[in-house]
Amino acid sequence: MTRSCEVSWFSALCDDDYEFLGMPDPRLQSSWEHCRDIVLQAETGGYDNILLPSGYALGLDTTAFAAAIAPMLRRLALLMAVRVGESWPPQLARQIATIDRMLGGRLNINIISSDLPGETLASGPRYARTVELMRILKTLLNGEPLDHDGEFWKLKLDPPRIGTVSGKAPLLYFGGLSPDAREAAAKECDVYLMWPDTREKVADIIADMTARAARHGRTLRFGYRAHVIVRETEDEARVYADRLLSKLDAEQGAAIRAKSLDSGSAGVAAQAALREGASADGYAEDNLWTGIGRARSGCGAAIVGDPDQVLAKLAMYQEMGIEAFILSGYPHAAEADLFARHVLPRMTHAPLSVANTL
């Protein structure tokens, strides 16, 4: 792989780490120590970035965790998830700038537009609020005075004294498949994230989002969030995939999926459709296994195979226009080590930068 891309891992801040999917394991439950160790494993393994997810009901507070882990890192970037509406925008801008300073300029933000606990907004207003937040953050973190008269926030103020190391807003990663989500992304995000799907569906999404962004005078970069199971042989990888589900029953899996705040989203529906259209052994296409979606909401498929097959699959996505990968596996620390040994050294990779982003 000669074309450069960003390769990120995932730290399970939201109680999403298992040896057997659907079987809670106290050793792998989200805690400061466990999630810290996943991040440090990613730093040691040579990854460029790591996603710190956010969920109100489960696990740890993402912003507090990011601030705590930042001084321990020397080169790894953080992709900190932010749930729209949980923080007052000027306060959030100052928090982002502070953590970016602690990291030496290596903070990126994953914007999440889901309903908040205790609140239900229709899709249109919810994504309108998200667009407002992204615009406010960009203005303040670009060091510009803010005069915002929106539906959800009315703010007129100067930017906080402390800014990011670059003096610019960090990259905003964002995903969503509904029409409202796609328009929000086209208007304001920098990196559009998608979950696994067939090659044809991924190509369609990239084409659609490229056209939508162009109508707003913008360009987007594209990221792909997937699980991965890599072993020395394809047979070993497929056996391990089956082992992950060996203690899960259908009722248990349905309960896990329903518990998520985004369980009714268009993206989750697309993952369900991918799973329902797969073969009897769960493969939607070569080396794309949908079994993980039986035990979690959200990203529900894994790239499964030997190192050559996994590398070829990632190279295929790059040829389609993907510039960033956010990968994970179960258990997260062990799978981060396996991917770092078998595949990562054969990839040309580096963190994305704000350069050339409109």
Side-chain angles (χ1 to χ4, degrees), residues 68-92:
I69 199 73
M72 301 183 182
L73 304 176
R74 296 294 173 264
R75 46 162 301 280
L76 189 69
L78 296 181
L79 178 54
M80 185 177 80
V82 170
R83 300 181 69 83
V84 173
E86 283 193 348
S87 297
W88 187 246
Q91 175 197 26
L92 178 59

Side-chain angles (χ1 to χ4, degrees), residues 40-59:
L40 296 180
Q41 177 67 55
E43 165 123 322
T44 301
Y47 292 89
D48 302 309
N49 198 356
I50 187 162
L51 173 59
L52 307 180
S54 176
Y56 173 82
L58 300 172

Side-chain angles (χ1 to χ4, degrees), residues 229 237-247 281 283 289:
I229 299 172
R238 291 173 71 107
V239 166
Y240 187 80
D242 292 339
R243 180 181 181 273
L244 281 176
L245 291 178
S246 62
K247 297 186 179 182
D281 57 0
Y283 286 81
W289 179 64

Side-chain angles (χ1 to χ4, degrees), residues 21 68 75 103 163 198 211-212 265 298 353:
L21 289 174
R75 46 162 301 280
L103 284 164
T198 61
R212 287 176 186 265
S265 73
S353 70

